[in-house]
Amino acid sequence: MIASLVVVVSAFVISAVLTRQFCDPASRLHFLDHPNERSLHTNPTPRTGGVAINVGLLVAVAVGLAFSDGTGQLAWLGAATLLVAGLSFLDDIKGVSVASRFIGHVLAAGVVMAGGLILPGLDLPGLAWHWPVWVGVIFTSLYLVW
């Protein structure tokens, strides 16, 4: 219980502190997203809030690993998150092609599945459908990449 609380609080505090820092115009990581035809916003908006959140998440993963008995699936999720976050940050700064982003997301899904996180089936009230691993790989890939 205490370990879970430490993980959650550390993620929140680090994300909040870094978000505030990155939104400061004096920060080296203060990049603005200027509205265009694809934007949902009308004013310039800081782009690096995701960096702050992901740093908080990755620190929480590290703290969680320190409290656990092994690396387990948490490390695999952290690695996949780092891959997608890095790709997204690069896309925000320089722009990345759709094909490169797709390949990056497929690789991240592969990392998650290499860690053993594959959907074993579908469990709904009144329906338990368990499928072969290869079907789980297909559904997991579609779910994560989509």
Side-chain angles (χ1 to χ4, degrees):
M1 175 68 180
I2 298 291
S4 297
L5 185 61
V6 169
V7 169
V8 170
V9 169
S10 65
F12 175 78
V13 169
I14 289 168
S15 296
V17 168
L18 288 178
T19 298
R20 180 164 171 73
Q21 176 65 34
F22 294 164
C23 287
D24 181 359
S27 171
R28 293 181 73 203
L29 287 177
H30 181 73
F31 300 107
L32 293 177
D33 184 17
H34 296 281
N36 61 33
E37 64 279 352
R38 291 180 44 206
S39 300
L40 296 176
H41 55 272
T42 55
N43 298 324
T45 305
R47 289 182 164 185
T48 49
V51 172
I53 291 168
N54 279 292
V55 168
L57 261 169
L58 291 173
V59 169
V61 166
V63 170
L65 289 173
F67 283 109
S68 72
D69 57 355
T71 57
Q73 297 169 332
L74 195 56
W76 292 96
L77 282 173
T81 299
L82 186 60
L83 176 62
V84 172
L87 185 62
S88 297
F89 183 68
L90 186 62
D91 186 36
D92 282 347
I93 302 305
K94 294 186 178 189
V96 175
S97 71
V98 172
S100 296
R101 287 195 320 259
F102 179 73
I103 290 169
H105 283 252
V106 168
L107 289 173
V111 168
V112 168
M113 290 185 291
L117 293 166
I118 298 172
L119 294 171
L122 182 65
D123 288 319
L124 298 171
L127 172 67
W129 182 26
H130 298 278
W131 46 57
V133 173
W134 66 270
V135 175
V137 167
I138 291 170
F139 279 118
T140 303
S141 300
L142 287 171
Y143 176 77
L144 292 173
V145 174
W146 195 298

